[in-house]
Each structure stands twice: as C-alpha cells, then as structure tokens.
Amino acid sequence: MFSFSSIEQYQEQLKSGSSTCSEAIQFYLDRIQQTRHLNAYTQVFAEEALERAAFLDQKRATGEPLGKLFGVVIAIKDVIAYKGHSLTAASRILEGFKSLYSATAVERILQEDGIIIGATNCDEFAMGSTNENSVYGKVLNAADESRVPGGSSGGSAVAVQVHTCMIALGSDTGGSVRQPADFCGVVGLKPSYGRISRYGLIAYASSFDQIGLFGQTIPDVAKVLEVISGKDEMDSTSSRLEVAPYTNSLKYESDKKYRIAWFPEALEQESVDPEISQAIRQLLESLKEQGHQVEPVHFEYLDYIVPAYYVLTTAEAASNLSRYDGVRYGYRSNQPADDLTAFYKQTRSEGFGKEVKRRIMLGTFVLSAGYYDAYFTKAQQVRQALKDKTNLIFKDFDFILLPNSPSIAFPIGEKMEDPIAMYLADIFTVYSNLTGTCSISLPLFRHSSGMPFGLQVIAKAFDEVSLLRISDRLMRSK
C-alpha cells in the first residue's frame, strides 16, 4: 500500500516490498486527475510513467543496483527540456515544438532511476509573478483558489502543494521558485548560480537563471539537489566546485550557533504586511534567545534592487528571445507578409503574450544607442555594488533572513493591470539572483487569513550545505 511522507521512507517501502513504483505512479496520476481544475500541469506523461515504474519494479525484483532517486516521482516546469516531449514555455510561439534533447538535470534524474511524471504550467517564458501569463490559462492556489499561486513556477509549486509528485523542478530568475513556494506553503530552493547546469533550460536572462527545487521536506530537496548539481561540459557557466553530500550533511548538524543578519529597511517597509514583519521579528528574537548572534545590518541599496534587476533581465531577454522567429520551429503566422521583416513582426506579435512583449521592448530600449550607458551600464554598476556589499556582510555573518514577498498570495487579477506594482513585489527575492547567492523559502508561518507564508534564508554562494542545515533545523522546530 503506497503512502508518502519522505523519499527515505518511500524508498524503504520499495526495498521491503510493501509498496511498488507502479502503486506510487498510480496514486499520483489519480491525484493529478482529482486536482485537474487547479491547472498545474501542461502535460502528464501517464503511460510513459507507468511503463517506467514497471521497469523499475522489475529492476528491484532482479536485485540490480538501484539509483539514488529510485522510484522518486518528479514534475518539471515547462521550460526544462525533456527529449521527445513538448516544450513550450507556456507560450504560443513554441506551439507544437518537441525537444530534441533532455536538460542535464533531467538526464541525471533518469540516470538515478527517477520518474518524470509531467510538465508543469508557468508564466510565459518564466516572466511573471502570478502564473496568470500562460497560454494554458492561470494556475490556482489550492490554499485559496481565488488567489494566485505565485510565479513564474506556480504550476510546480501547486504540484507539490497538492501532492501530485514528490519533487518538482522550477526555474528561478528573480524569485520564481521562492515566491510561489512562499504563497503555496512548500519548500522552495534556489541554488547558487552555476550549481545546477542550465543546459536544457529555456533562457530568460542567462546571467540570472537557475534551476530550483520544490519539496515538502529539506532532506527530500537535498537528495535531489545532490543528484542534479555539478559541473557540466555543456554549460560553461556551471561550477566546477565539488558537490557536497547534501543528504548526509544534514545528519551531522550540531548545536552550532550561527551569525544571522537582517535588514531593517526590509522589515520596516510600509509595503510589508504587518503580520509578515511581526512573525519574522518574533523568529529573530527566538533565535537570539537560543544563543545565535542576530543583528540588524543597514542595507542602503534596497530601493535600487528592482530597477537594476528589470533593466538587466529585460536586456538579456530581448537578446535571448530574438531566436523565436517562426522560421525553423514553433508558431508561424498565416497572415500574408510583404517581406521577411513583416513576417517576423506578425509571427512574434501573434506568438508572444503581452508581458513577454513588454519585457522585450523594455530590454531593446535599454540596449539602444543613447540609452545603453544611462540604463544598462548603470544597472551593472548597481549589481557590482550589491555583490560587494553582500560579500562584506558574509564576512561577518552566516545568513541573511528576509521575507520572500511583502504580502501573502494576492487575489487573482489584482496586479495584472499594474505591472509596476507587480515588479515591486519581487523586491526581496531578486537580490539573491543579482548576487548569485543560494537562498530558500521555508513554510514556517500562517497568516490570520489562513494563507501560508514563508521565511527567506540566504547564504553565501556555494554554501548550500550550511543553508540546508539551518533550514532543516528551522523546519524541525516549527
């Protein structure tokens, strides 16, 4: 009889014969069907997943060595390539396209006997904070179906939230894993830039993008992170640093006292929900009483984070999305065109959604002659200043604690007509992407409205071991 509380417990069931991979897949397929109205999935690989489960059950029965992710059921965001399967980035422009290869992260999951159960809905080309910018329609938050699940990886967050998979992969360019994790009450990890290969991840902003993970527990997230991390010859930006045994590292956590920083400018902002601020302050006080060093750190760059982020990411997006022209693959306009330029314009105007077009135009503007130095160069200088300030902070502290969002999940449609308000909602998450640090959203709190919200913990780049350790401690003590 299948039941799931953790990957470790599940794999013990498989080894003892008290459950099978086939039972697990059938359970999750039934859950997907029961929660279909939430619109979390763009595709479900039902037949394929059942066949792979049967293959893995046979492998166990014959006594063959089993992979680290044996039988683990994983969903992937519809921006991550899986050979022979549709890959659309929730956009009309990639209508009918099937991937010719698999992302490195997917390959590593399959090599370790994992099962990919489906592709999850998202904001088009990962551009959005609500999962309302999708050609497949909006995703609903299971905690309150009148509210957004967050974005852009909202489908992945909801897939874990309603137990349709054990782990889901998303992508995080400016908070697209942590913010939906916050809104949906699950764990959401953004590793350091370069920790996981970006090969096979559709590019939004190449110097920001990073594959991230959603799960219910820290050990589960750590186990999958350990498998998919590491150097990849197909991605020159992937780190050559050794990948630590993340799962085992959790077992050796002691009563170590940490040095924790927090930004008064963040918790004292008028836009922050008083309950969010109060909950984090109470946690900080509790950590201090436990003997940790907890101190406020003045952070003078907070107001510059969002403008710098949107200047740089839209510039990179304008470049990356120029390849979608309707000539070689994807959507192609049927309207007659006088020349190739007119054809491109028609195809891209019809194929891209409103938010994607807005960001392409903004990026093209900041890269244009006469504005490049005023916007793009200045934003790069802000990014460097942020990195320098962050490096100084991490000389004296182990972690930075922040909210993920100024508010809990907001009603569907509330911010769609005000893109500036939408962009400003990313104020606390884009910081980690600008600096390349690793960060996580932990589902520790409950609002008086009944909605969940989380704590964002940030550690220095490539210190996922410490980040996972403190995260596990905080989750166990909640």
Side-chain angles (χ1 to χ4, degrees), residues 425-440:
D426 296 335
I427 187 168
F428 301 128
T429 52
V430 297
Y431 167 55
S432 186
N433 300 85
L434 280 159
T435 56
T437 52
C438 53
S439 48
I440 195 167

Side-chain angles (χ1 to χ4, degrees), residues 82-387:
Y82 186 14
K83 186 176 180 178
H85 298 76
S86 293
L87 178 64
T88 70
S91 178
R92 190 183 185 192
I93 201 79
L94 279 171
E95 184 178 85
F97 176 72
K98 286 192 176 182
S99 181
L100 303 177
Y101 64 95
S102 291
T104 299
V106 170
E107 289 281 9
R108 290 176 177 175
I109 287 168
L110 297 175
Q111 287 166 6
E112 292 293 341
D113 292 338
I115 304 172
I116 307 296
I117 197 168
T120 56
N121 204 348
C122 58
D123 284 297
E124 184 182 6
F125 281 97
M127 297 181 188
S129 304
T130 64
N131 222 147
E132 294 172 281
N133 304 308
S134 168
V135 73
Y136 302 105
K138 59 183 176 288
V139 177
L140 308 182
N141 189 330
D144 180 345
E145 294 179 16
S146 70
R147 295 176 184 267
V148 300
S152 61
S153 309
S156 292
V158 172
V160 172
Q161 179 190 35
V162 295
H163 307 286
T164 62
C165 60
M166 299 171 188
I167 292 286
L169 299 189
S171 65
D172 194 311
T173 304
S176 288
V177 166
R178 289 157 292 151
Q179 187 244 32
D182 179 276
F183 284 3
C184 293
V186 298
V187 174
L189 171 68
K190 183 202 84 72
S192 310
Y193 181 78
R195 175 56 83 195
I196 300 173
S197 170
R198 291 184 298 109
Y199 181 71
L201 172 66
I202 289 181
Y204 162 15
S206 302
S207 72
F208 293 78
D209 299 339
Q210 185 60 206
I211 290 175
L213 301 93
F214 295 91
Q216 297 285 357
T217 72
I218 299 302
D220 285 359
V221 168
K223 191 175 190 71
V224 179
L225 177 67
E226 186 177 325
V227 167
I228 65 176
S229 294
K231 174 187 170 185
D232 179 19
E233 295 300 334
M234 302 300 290
D235 176 10
S236 62
T237 65
S238 64
S239 171
R240 296 178 178 271
L241 294 174
E242 184 180 351
V243 176
Y246 296 126
T247 309
N248 289 336
S249 296
L250 297 177
K251 298 175 182 177
Y252 302 111
E253 174 64 303
S254 63
D255 291 329
K256 178 180 177 180
K257 303 304 178 185
Y258 291 113
R259 302 168 301 165
I260 297 168
W262 60 280
F263 301 158
E265 291 86 354
L267 293 185
E268 293 170 4
Q269 267 212 352
E270 290 183 5
S271 63
V272 177
D273 185 311
E275 289 189 41
I276 293 177
S277 179
Q278 182 182 12
I280 294 177
R281 286 179 183 276
Q282 288 176 346
L283 177 63
L284 291 168
E285 190 59 37
S286 174
L287 290 170
K288 197 170 185 178
E289 290 172 358
Q290 294 169 28
H292 300 283
Q293 177 188 339
V294 181
E295 295 182 14
V297 173
H298 175 56
F299 194 78
E300 64 273 27
Y301 299 122
L302 197 65
D303 291 339
Y304 301 97
I305 288 177
V306 171
Y309 169 81
Y310 277 99
V311 165
L312 294 173
T313 55
T314 56
E316 293 186 23
S319 176
N320 279 327
L321 271 62
S322 64
R323 71 192 67 173
Y324 303 106
D325 54 17
V327 174
R328 291 155 293 186
Y329 50 79
Y331 176 79
R332 175 182 291 193
S333 175
N334 293 320
Q335 298 298 317
D338 295 331
D339 53 35
L340 193 58
T341 300
F343 167 75
Y344 287 157
K345 286 180 179 179
Q346 287 173 190
T347 294
R348 287 167 64 83
S349 295
E350 295 170 16
F352 287 130
K354 182 178 179 180
E355 182 60 29
V356 171
K357 286 188 279 194
R358 178 186 288 124
R359 297 194 192 195
I360 289 173
M361 289 188 288
L362 177 57
T364 303
F365 170 75
V366 301
L367 289 175
S368 60
Y371 297 100
Y372 185 92
D373 288 338
Y375 293 100
F376 188 79
T377 301
K378 187 63 70 177
Q380 290 282 36
Q381 292 169 345
V382 171
R383 189 179 196 181
Q384 188 58 53
L386 286 168
K387 289 182 177 180

Side-chain angles (χ1 to χ4, degrees), residues 10-11 14-15 19-25 48-74 82 109-117 166:
Y10 164 61
Q11 291 183 329
L14 294 178
K15 290 175 184 176
S19 187
T20 66
C21 296
S22 297
E23 288 177 348
I25 289 298
E48 178 183 320
L50 286 167
E51 289 176 359
R52 182 161 174 81
F55 166 78
L56 292 174
D57 286 334
Q58 181 62 28
K59 183 176 182 179
R60 182 191 61 78
T62 56
E64 293 182 53
L66 306 180
K68 292 180 181 178
L69 299 182
F70 179 74
V72 176
V73 182
I74 298 175
Y82 186 14
I109 287 168
L110 297 175
Q111 287 166 6
E112 292 293 341
D113 292 338
I115 304 172
I116 307 296
I117 197 168
M166 299 171 188

